[in-house]
Amino acid sequence: MIKEAIIKNISLILLTFILFGCKRHNNFEVKDFIPISSLPNNDTVKYTVDLEKAIINGVIIPTKNGNQDFFKFSFKLKNNSSKAKQYYYKIFYQNISYAFGLFTDNKCNINNPKANNNFYGSWNENNTGFHKTEILNPDDDFIQVTDSFCILGNPRNEKKYFGGVFNASPVTEKEIQIAVSRIKSSKEWMKQIKNKALENKISIERQIYLDAVWSVNYDKEKGGCNNRWKRNPRTGLYDFLLVIIEAEDLDKIPNYYQDVTIKDSISDNYQNPYQFYLGKDRPENAIVEIATQKIQVKVKYELNKGIYLGATYKNPDSILYNAQFEQYFHSVDKQHTFNNIPLKEDIMANPYTYEKYNQNKVKFNSDELISDYIKISEKPGTTVGFDKDKNALFLTNPGNKNLNDYRKENVGIKTRHGFTYGKYIAKIRFPKIINSSYVWNGLTCAFWLKYQKGNWNTRSNCISGFNPKLYSDSAKVKSSTYSEIDIEIVKTSKFWPKTSYGGKVDYPKDNALNKNIIVSCTNWDLACHDPDSFNTGVRNISYDNKKFTLHRWDDDYRALTSKYELNQDSVLGRELYYVIEWHPEYIIWKIGPTRENLFVIGYMDNKSTMIPDNQMELVFTQEFHLSEWWPLTPFKQEFIPYPLNEITGYIYEVEIE
């Protein structure tokens, strides 16, 4: 199905090239259009993004040492008319790897409205219209026209992506104290503070401080600066469109097709210029050409640039501006407690058997159990970092060797730059999570994408309504910023409970007490019912000659999940490639020992689930999941001892293509 769609889209592009790619007009003639003349004139130029200073400026293609650069392009033009003339030209670019098809028919007559959300642009200076050539005399030979452009974020200059100059700089103590005074002078705010402090089980002074930090960061988001990093260029393949027209015909082109930063006043939407110049309404007296040369863009993260610890900590400038990773801090729900057995064990090293697990379940009285919640690091930068010897990032769940230590602590690392769509590839060595006796150590390993925080980062509206991520908010909403796509490695059954199979007596079941683990694939669509094949319970689909079972707990459940069972030794405790291919109309999950030897473990498309289209960051975590999140697991988190020794995973490569 997807392969057919890709072929159809490519066919449309080729068709438009055949129909409208003529290079000769009665009055002028064009040849030798080379969009990136400063690089070798291959059909596809490969370009790796420079992330230096991209946290401030956004991704710019090309850049030199974090500073904006330009591609040089050229074409040759000849005046075939009977009088001297000046011509007008413009270059457009569009990402075609992660784009909706331009048209919904094979004659390029019906525009696809979704294509307005494709990533396209043109010049980026204030004069965003057509550029003009020198005056060409009739019957002179071809003259060469040269110009320059670059690909950069928010090319349409959309106001929703404007804001403060740079919101990653550290919050100063002076700013915080000013905000503290403002909070204490507000009776309404202080009332909210007291309620939140009670819910979070912290002091009122601590809650005031946290709210003050939030307030300062919120204020920094305000402003009139074009935060181009809020809509970064996409990775993948770009093509280039050249339009040349005479002055007298320029006024016949609507202004929103001349300048991509202008909205169509009737629809109040931006319009994709490719649809106009390649469609049925294209200007008759123009030459329109798609170049054979394209550019293939990818991001290759540099692991040794340091790890940013967040705006509330003092980071050196080298880290603040150039670190490509950040320590990820899980949300702490102090209300969500569990009663853990008061034991410490290295389950992976010692022969901690299933019999011993069962004995310890009933060994302790209720007053001996430790009422606890899953914690995060109190010493940022100590549980994540760069290992020079391994040339890899590490993430470590701390052990509990001190007498009074009893902690189950989540740990994570995330990228600092958000992107929309892409093939996310990482080479990771996650630790093993079950021992030789098949006992789980309580850990879940995850490679996932999560929305970049900010009110600007909304995904496309759901007509039937999203369920908000927080279950306390029950009313459906049309708009949401929340999105998430997961690979989670868990210890549970490969099947679902009886209720998910419609109550059938012969529903599938297994004994999950074995050496196998589950690699689960999830898309958080917030229970949007718009897709034609929205389902609850289980539904089977096929892709790549494999069957995948999609599962949703009920109509209101916010995520769709499939499971893939594998032997632990083929996945954990070894280096493995993890891949999430996130496209506008489908998601594919893959793993494998090498880039060349990957196999599909999950697939969903827009008939089954609403595919997110807002900007996300890549996250790596090792978490102590509560068992009720994965029913049918043979273990309960509260009956698993606290880890005696550290548990460490490594990240060796991270790329987006």
Side-chain angles (χ1 to χ4, degrees):
M1 183 187 303
I2 294 300
K3 290 180 179 177
E4 291 174 357
I6 293 172
I7 292 171
K8 180 181 178 182
N9 201 40
I10 293 174
S11 299
L12 285 175
I13 292 171
L14 291 175
L15 178 63
T16 55
F17 181 78
I18 293 169
L19 289 175
F20 307 130
C22 64
K23 301 179 184 180
R24 185 181 178 89
H25 185 273
N26 289 337
N27 291 332
F28 58 100
E29 189 174 351
V30 175
K31 68 177 183 179
D32 298 341
F33 169 37
I34 305 175
I36 309 178
S37 55
S38 54
L39 294 174
N41 189 22
N42 301 321
D43 283 347
T44 301
V45 175
K46 294 185 178 180
Y47 181 84
T48 301
V49 166
D50 174 13
L51 289 177
E52 187 170 347
K53 298 180 183 176
I55 199 71
I56 311 168
N57 303 324
V59 169
I60 302 172
I61 306 169
T63 53
K64 286 183 179 178
N65 300 320
N67 297 313
Q68 183 173 323
D69 196 11
F70 294 90
F71 290 126
K72 303 291 190 295
F73 75 92
S74 64
F75 60 91
K76 292 178 180 177
L77 180 63
K78 187 175 185 293
N79 181 357
N80 292 331
S81 72
S82 59
K83 59 182 181 180
K85 284 196 172 186
Q86 197 169 38
Y87 297 90
Y88 288 77
Y89 66 92
K90 185 160 188 174
I91 189 172
F92 296 91
Y93 58 80
Q94 179 175 232
N95 181 286
I96 57 176
S97 290
Y98 304 104
F100 290 100
L102 297 174
F103 309 101
T104 58
D105 67 323
N106 59 9
K107 293 184 179 180
C108 310
N109 288 329
I110 305 174
N111 288 349
N112 181 0
K114 293 182 178 179
N116 291 340
N117 290 326
N118 291 352
F119 192 90
Y120 59 82
S122 184
W123 326 114
N124 60 295
E125 76 276 21
N126 291 329
N127 177 17
T128 51
F130 277 66
H131 291 185
K132 57 186 178 183
T133 69
E134 62 184 83
I135 296 175
L136 276 67
N137 294 316
D139 297 324
D140 276 356
D141 200 1
F142 282 91
I143 66 148
Q144 180 159 301
V145 179
T146 60
D147 211 324
S148 61
F149 73 99
C150 68
I151 300 171
L152 78 174
N154 194 24
R156 299 190 299 207
N157 295 336
E158 296 176 66
K159 293 301 180 185
K160 73 174 182 175
Y161 300 120
F162 281 51
V165 175
F166 180 41
N167 70 350
S169 54
V171 175
T172 67
E173 195 60 33
K174 182 178 180 181
E175 290 174 318
I176 294 172
Q177 291 308 314
I178 292 172
V180 166
S181 298
R182 190 166 69 246
I183 292 170
K184 289 183 174 180
S185 65
S186 169
K187 291 183 179 179
E188 186 60 34
W189 203 337
M190 282 302 298
K191 182 179 178 181
Q192 295 174 10
I193 289 285
K194 290 175 183 177
N195 291 333
K196 284 196 287 186
L198 188 63
E199 290 175 6
N200 295 330
K201 296 183 179 179
I202 59 177
S203 68
I204 291 174
E205 285 301 315
R206 179 60 179 166
Q207 190 65 59
I208 291 172
Y209 186 86
L210 293 176
D211 269 42
V213 172
W214 177 89
S215 175
V216 172
N217 283 321
Y218 178 80
D219 288 342
K220 285 187 175 185
E221 272 288 309
K222 300 175 183 177
C225 178
N226 191 343
N227 293 161
R228 296 191 181 275
W229 55 269
K230 293 179 179 177
R231 193 173 190 252
N232 273 325
R234 296 172 190 174
T235 57
L237 202 63
Y238 285 79
D239 68 7
F240 304 97
L241 181 76
L242 177 68
V243 180
I244 305 170
I245 197 165
E246 297 182 60
E248 54 267 32
D249 295 311
L250 193 60
D251 291 340
K252 299 176 184 177
I253 300 176
N255 61 354
Y256 47 86
Y257 288 128
Q258 296 188 43
D259 181 351
V260 300
T261 69
I262 296 175
K263 286 184 177 182
D264 172 10
S265 59
I266 297 175
S267 66
D268 195 34
N269 288 320
Y270 296 99
Q271 301 295 333
N272 190 326
Y274 273 67
Q275 292 177 314
F276 177 73
Y277 294 110
L278 297 177
K280 62 182 177 61
D281 296 324
R282 79 179 190 93
E284 292 183 7
N285 299 324
I287 287 180
V288 178
E289 181 179 350
I290 295 179
T292 57
Q293 186 188 52
K294 295 174 174 54
I295 184 171
Q296 183 83 39
V297 174
K298 79 170 184 178
V299 174
K300 183 177 177 64
Y301 284 92
E302 297 175 83
L303 309 183
N304 61 355
K305 293 286 188 179
I307 296 181
Y308 177 70
L309 299 180
T312 57
Y313 298 92
K314 187 174 182 180
N315 295 268
D317 283 354
S318 59
I319 298 295
L320 180 65
Y321 297 110
N322 295 320
Q324 298 174 17
F325 293 90
E326 178 176 344
Q327 182 162 2
Y328 178 79
F329 297 100
H330 295 75
S331 297
V332 176
D333 186 355
K334 295 183 179 181
Q335 302 296 319
H336 203 155
T337 58
F338 58 102
N339 295 316
N340 211 95
I341 57 174
L343 292 177
K344 307 174 190 179
E345 292 276 358
D346 187 341
I347 288 178
M348 306 307 295
N350 296 328
Y352 195 90
T353 64
Y354 189 54
E355 289 73 22
K356 193 171 183 179
Y357 166 83
N358 283 318
Q359 290 170 8
N360 286 332
K361 282 172 60 175
V362 296
K363 182 177 179 180
F364 302 97
N365 296 323
S366 58
D367 59 350
E368 294 178 286
L369 301 177
I370 299 174
S371 180
D372 209 352
Y373 57 90
I374 306 299
K375 298 181 173 66
I376 60 173
S377 178
E378 295 173 352
K379 299 177 180 178
T382 60
T383 55
V384 299
F386 179 70
D387 187 317
K388 292 182 180 178
D389 294 333
K390 295 183 181 295
N391 196 31
L393 296 173
F394 68 84
L395 53 167
T396 298
N397 304 91
N400 292 276
K401 291 190 175 180
N402 293 331
L403 181 64
N404 296 320
D405 284 350
Y406 287 94
R407 293 173 66 88
K408 289 184 177 179
E409 183 176 304
N410 290 341
V411 63
I413 294 173
K414 74 181 185 73
T415 58
R416 295 183 73 198
H417 307 89
F419 292 93
T420 303
Y421 307 127
K423 182 189 291 186
Y424 294 77
I425 306 167
K427 182 181 180 183
I428 311 169
R429 180 177 177 172
F430 280 126
K432 290 187 176 183
I433 62 174
I434 50 176
N435 67 13
S436 57
S437 299
Y438 313 145
V439 178
W440 181 40
N441 68 357
L443 206 61
T444 292
C445 303
F447 169 74
W448 48 300
L449 292 162
K450 186 178 182 182
Y451 75 110
Q452 200 166 5
K453 290 185 178 179
N455 293 331
W456 49 270
N457 194 26
T458 53
R459 55 192 295 175
S460 289
N461 288 351
C462 172
I463 297 171
S464 58
F466 292 115
N467 281 349
K469 178 62 168 61
L470 296 176
Y471 280 76
S472 57
D473 300 325
S474 57
K476 282 186 172 289
V477 293
K478 297 293 184 184
S479 177
S480 178
T481 60
Y482 195 91
S483 57
E484 184 179 329
I485 301 172
D486 303 335
I487 291 178
E488 292 177 286
I489 304 170
V490 300
K491 180 54 185 167
T492 189
S493 168
K494 64 181 176 181
F495 299 117
W496 300 94
K498 179 179 180 179
T499 53
S500 295
Y501 298 93
K504 292 192 301 184
V505 176
D506 59 344
Y507 72 97
K509 43 188 162 307
D510 66 347
N511 178 8
L513 189 65
N514 53 38
K515 197 60 182 284
N516 295 339
I517 46 87
I518 297 299
V519 185
S520 68
C521 305
T522 301
N523 177 44
W524 286 78
D525 58 13
L526 303 183
C528 176
H529 286 230
D530 289 1
D532 294 337
S533 300
F534 179 93
N535 72 283
T536 58
V538 298
R539 184 174 77 87
N540 293 330
I541 63 168
S542 296
Y543 177 78
D544 195 40
N545 297 318
K546 293 181 180 179
K547 182 182 77 172
F548 298 99
T549 299
L550 306 183
H551 177 268
R552 189 189 306 271
W553 289 107
D554 55 53
D555 274 352
D556 291 326
Y557 195 71
R558 288 133 171 93
L560 188 67
T561 298
S562 67
K563 297 177 180 178
Y564 200 97
E565 185 182 40
L566 287 165
N567 185 284
Q568 174 178 246
D569 292 341
S570 67
V571 180
L572 300 177
R574 58 178 297 185
E575 296 170 15
L576 195 73
Y577 282 92
Y578 296 80
V579 178
I580 297 175
E581 292 188 26
W582 170 28
H583 293 258
E585 297 180 293
Y586 60 94
I587 306 167
I588 303 173
W589 292 263
K590 298 178 181 178
I591 60 174
T594 67
R595 285 174 178 265
E596 296 74 29
N597 188 16
L598 298 168
F599 56 94
V600 177
I601 59 168
Y603 169 80
M604 298 178 193
D605 60 28
N606 58 359
K607 290 184 172 61
S608 304
T609 184
M610 187 171 185
I611 308 296
D613 59 357
N614 56 346
Q615 201 155 273
M616 289 204 268
E617 298 161 327
L618 189 54
V619 190
F620 310 81
T621 54
Q622 294 172 184
E623 314 175 34
F624 289 95
H625 274 185
L626 299 181
S627 303
E628 53 262 38
W629 297 356
W630 294 99
L632 305 186
T633 179
F635 304 97
K636 295 291 185 182
Q637 182 70 252
E638 53 266 38
F639 300 138
I640 296 171
Y642 291 89
L644 178 64
N645 297 319
E646 295 180 344
I647 306 172
T648 301
Y650 296 95
I651 304 163
Y652 298 92
E653 299 174 19
V654 183
E655 294 187 4
I656 311 174
E657 295 180 347

